Amino acid sequence: MTILVTGAAGFIGSNFVLDWFEEYDEDIISLDKLTYAGNPENLKSLENNKNHIFVKGDIADEKLITSILNEYQPRAIINFAAESHVDRSINGPKDFIDTNIIGTYSLLEMTRIYWNNLGYKPKNIFRFLHVSTDEVYGSLENNEPPFSEMTPYAPSSPYSASKAASDHLVRAWHHTYGLPVVTTNCSNNYGPYHFPEKLIPLCILNALNGESLPIYGDGQQIRDWLYVKDHCTAIRLVLKNGALGGTYNIGGRNEKTNLDVVEILCSVLDELMPKKDGSKYSTQIIYVKDRPGHDKRYAIDATKLESELGWLPEETFESGIRKTVEWYLGHQDWVSRVQSGEYQNWINKQYQ
Ligand code: NAD
Ligand code: DAU
């Protein structure tokens, strides 16, 4: 048996593939376009793994997708491939439309043709799992209940609008054509291999380099943080037992303001890598121009996943952030390779 994982060289995709091989020996075909966010080095430890094949390519390349599906006959597709950074979607939305909407459409359509031609048994077991985000629900006020699967969609950034569109396509391909899909909507992940344009890895690395820790606006926006390995466990469970056509919210019940997040990671760094001059890393915090249209609060109600499928996250924010900081301290080579080239152009443009 084989599964196809798209976006497999990105942050969550690579964690998922590595995590899969800790649990199973079922084959994986990893597909990734290797945009600035895709890093084949994340999967380097699988170089000699006979159960793993990496293919460089675009989910919008219908010829390539068809040939992969026909050659490897996967029993499931897990679609992580996306443009994922909100700030980049504000600076240039086109890639988000191309991959998140058109790319998802092409992948769905080629999958539908493949699935239609399968025999009775493989057709019955086949699943298309689409990985989406809590951002499709829009923004919450502090006194509102967390997002449930029944919360209406109200995306507010080009990124979240493109993800919402992809979720609608996935739903339509199930409703209209019967494609066996399941969708997950997850809160903010953090952990190993997180590309350092996002808040947590950016601040860990800036702190260690003696640079500023940029907080947008007043830092009182709230996100619900989930350790990436807990997300991977949830996806495996949903793939195995999720209801066809269903959606599952995944979140860590770890709501924190951005300022709290950065202060906590500073205090972990103070302990694990104290500064030579004795000062605290939190003195590097600065307040910068806010993100346009900045969503105030995301929070996930994961009751459905917990009660239907028995999932619970293993990490608290405190244990997960410690593991994350330790990972970055132990992977300086990965960090310096990631921080070269295109990455510097983005940082200069965004934070000048
Ligand atoms: P990421 O940006 O780190 O990785 C995305 C990967 O997709 C990269 O490897 C990139 O090269 C690849 N990719 C981009 N366009 C492609 C295309 N057209 N064809 C094939 N591959 C392509 O993103 P991530 O943080 O790992 O997120 C993975 C998925 O999870 C995304 O769909 C994202 O919307 C969703 N998600 C992320 C979070 C989070 O906190 N990071 C939370 C909820 C949902
Ligand atoms: O909620 C799930 C989403 O989480 C995913 O769908 C996205 O793919 C993922 O990128 C993430 O989006 P956010 O915009 O919440 O993550 P980011 O790390 O970019 O920002 C987290 C918060 O920190 C957000 O409120 C903006 C703020 N921030 C971010 C950066 C990069 C800062 O204050 N300063 C910064 O430099």
Side-chain angles (χ1 to χ4, degrees):
M1 298 285 241
T2 303
I3 64 165
L4 170 64
V5 177
T6 72
F11 162 47
I12 307 177
S14 60
N15 274 282
F16 179 81
V17 171
L18 296 172
D19 190 65
W20 181 268
F21 287 122
E22 283 176 22
E23 302 291 327
Y24 309 128
D25 56 10
E26 183 178 356
D27 295 3
I28 290 187
I29 312 301
S30 286
L31 173 75
D32 200 294
K33 188 179 173 183
L34 298 183
T35 67
Y36 77 93
N39 185 353
E41 196 180 335
N42 298 359
L43 301 172
K44 202 171 179 336
S45 61
L46 301 175
E47 247 169 13
N48 298 318
N49 185 327
K50 292 194 198 69
N51 296 108
H52 183 244
I53 292 173
F54 181 82
V55 180
K56 179 176 185 295
D58 190 329
I59 55 167
D61 182 343
E62 298 188 350
K63 236 172 116 182
L64 174 70
I65 297 298
T66 300
S67 83
I68 291 173
L69 295 177
N70 289 337
E71 182 173 353
Y72 298 106
Q73 302 273 310
R75 67 153 178 108
I77 298 176
I78 324 290
N79 183 29
F80 291 99
E83 289 293 333
S84 71
H85 191 30
V86 174
D87 293 322
R88 285 189 191 250
S89 82
I90 294 166
N91 276 283
K94 182 153 187 315
D95 288 346
F96 291 72
I97 307 302
D98 289 344
T99 284
N100 300 1
I101 305 179
I102 314 281
T104 304
Y105 153 74
S106 295
L107 185 64
L108 278 169
E109 195 50 357
M110 295 309 104
T111 303
R112 179 172 78 88
I113 294 166
Y114 162 74
W115 174 74
N116 263 332
N117 288 324
L118 287 174
Y120 179 76
K121 201 172 163 208
K123 196 169 180 176
N124 263 332
I125 62 166
F126 184 81
R127 294 289 179 274
F128 182 102
L129 192 155
H130 179 61
V131 178
S132 191
T133 171
D134 59 1
E135 298 199 19
V136 296
Y137 298 121
S139 182
L140 291 166
E141 292 301 324
N142 287 356
N143 59 357
E144 286 184 289
F147 303 128
S148 80
E149 289 79 0
M150 302 307 288
T151 305
Y153 275 30
S156 40
S157 72
Y159 162 69
S160 55
S162 68
K163 289 296 289 187
S166 71
D167 294 9
H168 291 318
L169 291 175
V170 170
R171 186 169 182 275
W173 259 242
H174 174 68
H175 188 79
T176 308
Y177 305 115
L179 191 71
V181 306
V182 56
T183 298
T184 56
N185 294 87
C186 186
S187 63
N188 285 61
N189 284 220
Y190 66 103
Y193 303 109
H194 204 179
F195 193 75
E197 64 186 354
K198 309 280 170 69
L199 179 70
I200 288 183
L202 179 91
C203 286
I204 295 174
L205 301 185
N206 281 12
L208 292 170
N209 287 336
E211 288 164 15
S212 304
L213 312 180
I215 302 280
Y216 295 165
D218 61 5
Q220 292 310 305
Q221 300 77 17
I222 292 172
R223 299 290 182 265
D224 182 351
W225 293 94
L226 178 69
Y227 191 63
V228 64
K229 206 169 169 52
D230 283 326
H231 186 192
C232 296
T233 311
I235 290 178
R236 278 193 276 106
L237 262 181
V238 173
L239 179 65
K240 201 167 165 197
N241 296 325
L244 277 193
T247 63
Y248 291 87
N249 281 358
I250 312 174
R253 297 191 194 272
N254 271 315
E255 286 186 58
K256 302 246 175 288
T257 66
N258 294 336
L259 189 57
D260 283 345
V261 164
V262 175
E263 281 176 342
I264 292 169
L265 76 82
C266 283
S267 65
V268 175
L269 278 169
D270 286 334
E271 189 192 325
L272 298 180
M273 184 62 81
K275 290 215 282 186
K276 290 200 176 82
D277 66 4
S279 68
K280 301 283 183 203
Y281 285 101
S282 55
T283 57
Q284 291 168 227
I285 290 175
I286 58 161
Y287 293 87
V288 300
K289 196 164 118 283
D290 208 351
R291 172 184 281 175
H294 199 168
D295 283 340
K296 197 167 175 188
R297 173 176 166 240
Y298 307 139
I300 282 278
D301 176 355
T303 305
K304 181 179 173 191
L305 180 63
E306 292 164 0
S307 57
E308 267 187 29
L309 303 186
W311 174 84
L312 273 182
E314 282 191 6
E315 304 295 341
T316 61
F317 186 71
E318 286 66 24
S319 64
I321 197 73
R322 177 172 286 269
K323 284 187 178 176
T324 305
V325 170
E326 282 169 349
W327 189 87
Y328 279 91
L329 289 174
H331 290 78
Q332 288 299 317
D333 288 355
W334 182 91
V335 167
S336 48
R337 280 193 285 274
V338 160
Q339 282 182 314
S340 59
E342 201 283 330
Y343 177 74
Q344 283 310 328
N345 300 334
W346 166 253
I347 294 295
N348 294 340
K349 189 168 157 201
Q350 176 71 358
Y351 296 99
Q352 68 189 349

